[in-house]
């Protein structure tokens, strides 16, 4: 769908919309440098970088960060395996119950996070499972599967079946075909899905509040600071760090999936 | 990818080969092998938990001891239907509807521009510009708005500087949408929700719009439709699955949120907060469970309609 010219009004409205989506994040970065540490006064009375040093010295921040990274890494690994299997099964097939399976896959993100959270909590309490690192991972992996699935299934659909057939005709068995034909074609999509899953898990707060006992992931730490502030500028600094940690994988994921637009043979 | 001839060893007639042959010939078995692990996970962990939740909602709480009585009863649902609780449900559904409608209004022009006019670098830029806020930290975003909306915060300052302070005060003095300050009003809460969920609306609409063939639009023009008619009768109906797909997210996410209303918004509760406090401080898991069955039912209905409209393909 292509048009040469765009109406000026549309340009302005779209531009304002984007501005709305970006200005607030700029404010967080500004506030990380403010000298004012009690209120949200705007404009900041002065600028300083000392809060970065203060945040660096806080062991509670480091502990929360380490837990978040561990949880996100493990959840992503599990989601990669389960999401890819599901995508391989659903990409080009028709079978009884296919619709139900695809509904089940998107359900954990289609239903509000609080439902996933409280449902897991109800199950833990009925089954007498104590809260631990693993209960957090259990919850995170559940909603990360769909992210990997979405990325993988799109690529599987573009992968031309004739390539797989050719590989089989040339004498490769199924596993060789997977290693030499399928995996190279879906690799970047998996990497992208994995990065998005990592970012999603790293940032998840609602499900985590229900599945974590005493453990504090970084978002839980931040929520605590939002409700009972101790040192506001430190929270601002952590917020900037979180923006950076989530932004980089997302940009990387974008470039990975963009280059995969034309998988060889996909156009046939 | 270049199709260089990777030398593939002649297949040995081993176990792998035979297994592979079985899998190729017996598609059903192969499919089953692929599906079992993810279905086991989602079936046991996720559906199992949902059923545990449903089961809890049929338990009740002993008013004297505060312990949960594990006997099936409809008592908790009776409690759910009390006027005060129904109020909370209605308020939350209305709020989610308003947020969804406004999100469509903001998202559509962005998606429309990105799908129809943006090319090359601009298009890539648009995509990243929508992706970044979508994926940047939820709490950071809520926090940013707390800074902006606070009485001494940036929005107030800008309004003052622009000489529009009286406009803001006028809005805040209105019933329902107003309040003592933006950060404790429905206006503030809706703004934050919009900010959080609008990117979820842009991407599916853009995906749907990109699938509208240009030839259809030309044909409409050739047949004498003016741009407005073309938009209403060709573009809009074809974009609708995308709008519905986006609405699944904005609606569902607002319906279940309990953190935003804790930080920004008036003191009256919405559904997510009740679920959270009932299961936490109050220890009334059955009532919390009954409350959370409501969004499940609403979303169930929503998803059924959405599927009929083909919105799943636009996700």
């Amino acid at each position: 769908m292509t048009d040469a010219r765009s109406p000026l009004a549309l340009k302005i409205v779209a531009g304002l919309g984007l501005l709305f989506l970006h200005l607030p994040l700029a404010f967080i970065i500004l506030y990380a440098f403010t000298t004012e540490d009690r209120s949200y006064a705007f404009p900041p009375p002065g600028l300083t970088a000392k809060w970065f040093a203060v945040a660096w010295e806080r062991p509670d921040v480091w502990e929360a960060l380490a837990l978040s990274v561990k949880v996100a890494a493990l959840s992503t690994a599990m989601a990669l395996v389960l999401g890819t299997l599901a995508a391989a099964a659903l990409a080009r097939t028709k079978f009884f119950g296919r619709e139900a399976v695809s509904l089940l896959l998107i359900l954990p993100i289609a239903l509000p996070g609080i439902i996933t959270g409280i449902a897991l909590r109800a199950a833990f309490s009925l089954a007498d499972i104590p809260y631990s690192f693993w209960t957090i991972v259990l919850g995170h992996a559940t909603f990360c599967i769909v992210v990997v699935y979405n990325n993988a299934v799109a690529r599987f659909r573009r992968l031309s079946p004739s390539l797989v057939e050719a590989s089989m005709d040339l004498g490769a068995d199924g596993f060789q075909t997977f290693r030499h034909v399928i995996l190279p074609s879906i690799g970047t999509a998996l990497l992208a899905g994995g990065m998005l899953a990592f970012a999603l898990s790293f940032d998840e707060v609602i499900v985590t509040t229900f599945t974590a006992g005493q453990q504090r992931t970084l978002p839980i730490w931040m929520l605590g600071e939002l409700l009972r502030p101790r040192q506001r500028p430190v929270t601002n600094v952590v917020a900037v760090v979180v923006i950076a940690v989530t932004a980089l994988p997302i940009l990387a994921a974008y470039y990975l999936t963009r280059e995969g637009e034309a998988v060889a043979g996909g156009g046939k | 990818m270049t199709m260089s001839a990777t030398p593939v060893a002649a297949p040995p007639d081993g176990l792998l080969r035979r297994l592979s042959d079985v899998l190729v010939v017996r598609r059903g078995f192969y499919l089953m092998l692929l599906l079992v692990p993810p279905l086991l996970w989602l079936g046991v962990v996720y559906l199992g938990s949902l059923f545990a939740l449903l089961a809890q909602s049929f338990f009740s709480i002993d008013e004297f001891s505060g312990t949960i009585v594990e006997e099936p009863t409809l008592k908790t649902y009776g409690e759910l239907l009390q006027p005060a609780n129904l109020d909370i449900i209605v308020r939350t559904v209305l709020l989610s509807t308003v947020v969804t409608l406004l999100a469509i209004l903001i998202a559509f022009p962005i998606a429309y521009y990105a799908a129809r006019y943006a090319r090359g670098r601009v298009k890539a830029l648009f995509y990243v510009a929508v992706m970044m806020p979508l994926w940047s930290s939820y709490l950071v975003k809520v926090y940013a708005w707390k800074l902006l909306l606070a009485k001494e915060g940036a929005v107030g300052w800008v309004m003052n500087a622009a000489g529009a302070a009286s406009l803001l005060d006028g809005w805040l003095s209105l019933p329902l949408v107003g309040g003592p300050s933006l950060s404790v009003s429905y206006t503030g809460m809706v703004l934050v929700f919009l900010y959080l969920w609008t990117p979820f609306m842009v991407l599916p609409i853009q995906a749907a719009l990109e699938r509208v063939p240009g030839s259809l639009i030309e044909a409409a023009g050739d047949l004498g439709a003016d741009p407005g008619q073309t938009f209403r009768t060709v573009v809009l109906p074809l974009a609708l699955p995308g709008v519905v797909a986006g609405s699944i997210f904005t609606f569902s996410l607002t319906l279940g949120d309990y953190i935003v209303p804790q930080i920004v918004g008036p003191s009256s509760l919405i559904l997510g907060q009740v679920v959270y406090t009932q299961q936490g401080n109050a220890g009334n898991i059955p009532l919390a469970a009954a409350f959370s069955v409501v969004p499940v039912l609403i979303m169930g209905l929503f998803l059924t309609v959405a599927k009929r409209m083909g919105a799943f393909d636009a996700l």
Side-chain angles (χ1 to χ4, degrees):
Chain A
M1 200 158 79
T2 318
D3 266 20
R5 298 156 287 107
S6 61
L8 185 65
L10 176 66
K11 229 177 196 166
I12 291 171
V13 177
L16 283 179
L18 283 190
L19 204 64
F20 171 67
L21 292 180
H22 282 269
L23 263 187
L25 287 178
F27 275 93
I28 279 281
I29 297 171
L30 174 68
Y31 272 93
F33 292 95
T34 183
T35 48
E36 165 72 59
D37 65 345
R38 300 243 165 266
S39 76
Y40 301 123
F42 185 87
L47 298 175
T48 169
K50 75 167 180 174
W51 301 114
F52 283 83
V54 175
W56 185 271
E57 299 292 326
R58 289 271 293 266
D60 54 333
V61 174
W62 285 107
E63 278 163 31
L65 180 67
L67 180 63
S68 277
V69 169
K70 270 190 269 179
V71 167
L74 196 59
S75 313
T76 303
M78 289 166 121
L80 271 174
V81 175
L82 297 171
T84 310
L85 287 174
L90 294 182
R92 279 187 186 276
T93 49
K94 282 199 161 53
F95 58 89
F96 178 74
R98 188 183 176 282
E99 293 283 304
V101 175
S102 67
L103 180 66
L104 183 60
L105 280 165
I106 68 156
L107 212 53
I109 56 159
L111 286 182
I114 197 168
I115 304 296
T116 311
I118 194 176
L120 287 167
R121 200 180 179 94
F124 295 154
S125 89
L126 282 183
D128 278 326
I129 300 173
Y131 302 113
S132 67
F133 170 75
W134 294 101
T135 52
I136 309 179
V137 171
L138 214 63
H140 285 204
T142 302
F143 60 74
C144 284
I145 293 175
V146 69
V147 180
V148 175
Y149 167 80
N150 273 342
N151 274 271
V153 83
R155 192 64 67 82
F156 268 120
R157 287 196 180 126
R158 282 207 297 265
L159 178 70
S160 168
S162 56
L163 279 183
V164 176
E165 280 162 24
S167 161
M168 298 289 205
D169 287 349
L170 291 169
D173 66 32
F175 301 98
Q176 287 172 316
T177 304
F178 180 76
R179 209 170 60 232
H180 297 291
V181 178
I182 299 177
L183 203 55
S185 314
I186 64 166
T188 51
L190 290 190
L191 199 55
M195 284 174 167
L196 294 179
F198 187 92
L200 195 64
S201 163
F202 188 80
D203 186 41
E204 169 55 45
V205 58
I206 292 193
V207 174
T208 320
T209 49
F210 287 92
T211 54
Q214 296 303 312
Q215 295 93 340
R216 282 194 303 178
T217 61
L218 206 56
I220 301 278
W221 179 90
M222 264 196 80
L223 183 62
E225 294 296 314
L226 284 190
L227 298 175
R228 287 170 298 278
R230 279 184 294 172
Q231 250 182 323
R232 281 205 175 113
V234 172
T235 316
N236 297 339
V237 168
V238 173
V240 170
V241 172
V242 170
I243 292 179
V245 171
T246 40
L248 296 177
I250 290 147
L251 281 176
Y254 166 68
Y255 281 105
L256 287 172
T257 43
R258 198 183 55 150
E259 277 162 18
E261 284 300 325
V263 174
K268 281 162 201 128
Chain B
M1 198 178 77
T2 50
M3 297 308 291
S4 60
T6 317
V8 178
D13 241 13
L15 197 64
L16 275 182
R17 178 83 205 178
R18 262 178 289 157
L19 180 59
S20 163
D21 286 347
V22 170
L23 292 181
V24 171
V25 177
R26 308 195 52 178
R27 296 287 299 172
F29 180 64
Y30 168 67
L31 258 183
M32 209 188 74
L33 272 189
L34 287 176
L35 275 175
V36 162
L39 282 188
L40 262 184
W41 181 280
L42 288 172
V44 173
V45 175
Y46 190 66
L47 283 187
S49 301
L50 282 181
F51 281 115
L53 180 69
L54 193 65
Q56 292 270 19
S57 72
F58 289 103
F59 296 161
S60 62
I61 196 150
D62 188 296
E63 275 153 34
F64 298 103
S65 63
T67 52
I68 295 163
V69 186
E70 298 195 355
E71 277 167 29
T73 167
L74 285 174
K75 203 180 118 200
T76 311
Y77 280 97
E79 218 176 308
L80 182 68
L81 295 177
Q82 281 168 2
N85 289 339
L86 279 182
D87 266 2
I88 293 170
I89 295 170
V90 171
R91 178 164 42 217
T92 311
V93 171
L94 281 179
L95 177 76
S96 306
T97 311
V98 169
V99 169
T100 300
L101 293 177
L102 289 175
I104 296 172
L105 279 185
I106 300 178
F108 208 97
I110 302 178
Y112 195 72
Y113 186 87
R116 285 205 62 182
Y117 299 108
R119 286 289 163 269
R121 290 183 85 76
V122 180
K123 195 182 180 87
L125 199 76
F126 253 79
Y127 188 73
V128 172
V130 174
M131 285 285 280
M132 290 306 290
L134 181 125
W135 285 96
S136 51
S137 170
Y138 165 87
L139 273 179
V140 170
K141 288 185 277 188
V142 179
Y143 185 46
W145 278 91
K146 175 123 183 142
L147 300 178
L148 289 170
L149 296 176
K151 222 176 180 108
E152 72 275 18
V155 171
W157 184 85
V158 169
M159 285 301 215
N160 258 330
S166 58
L167 207 70
L168 183 63
D169 289 339
W171 180 264
L172 285 176
S173 65
L174 293 174
L176 200 61
V177 296
S181 86
L182 273 175
S183 59
V184 287
S185 68
Y186 276 115
T187 309
M189 199 202 277
V190 167
L191 267 175
V192 179
F193 276 133
L194 273 179
Y195 177 73
L196 288 171
W197 314 143
T198 298
F200 289 85
M201 186 66 91
V202 177
L203 295 178
I205 297 183
Q206 187 183 337
L209 283 173
E210 262 161 14
R211 265 180 282 185
V212 178
S215 54
L216 270 187
I217 293 171
E218 281 167 31
D222 290 347
L223 292 169
D226 63 44
Q229 280 174 315
T230 307
F231 183 78
R232 272 196 314 278
T233 55
V234 178
V235 177
L236 211 50
L238 290 172
L240 203 59
V243 173
V244 176
S247 305
I248 293 175
F249 291 114
T250 55
F251 196 82
S252 164
L253 288 165
T254 318
L255 208 55
D257 200 287
Y258 71 92
I259 287 173
V260 170
Q262 238 176 320
I263 294 170
V264 178
S267 53
S268 35
L269 294 175
I270 71 168
L271 205 148
Q273 290 169 291
V274 181
V275 172
Y276 187 70
T277 47
Q278 285 298 335
Q279 66 86 32
N281 304 339
N284 193 345
I285 295 181
L287 187 59
F291 255 110
S292 42
V293 168
V294 174
V296 174
L297 290 179
I298 296 174
M299 285 316 294
L301 198 71
F302 202 139
L303 289 175
T304 314
V305 176
K307 215 181 102 191
R308 290 236 175 101
M309 298 178 77
F312 280 20
D313 298 324
L315 280 178

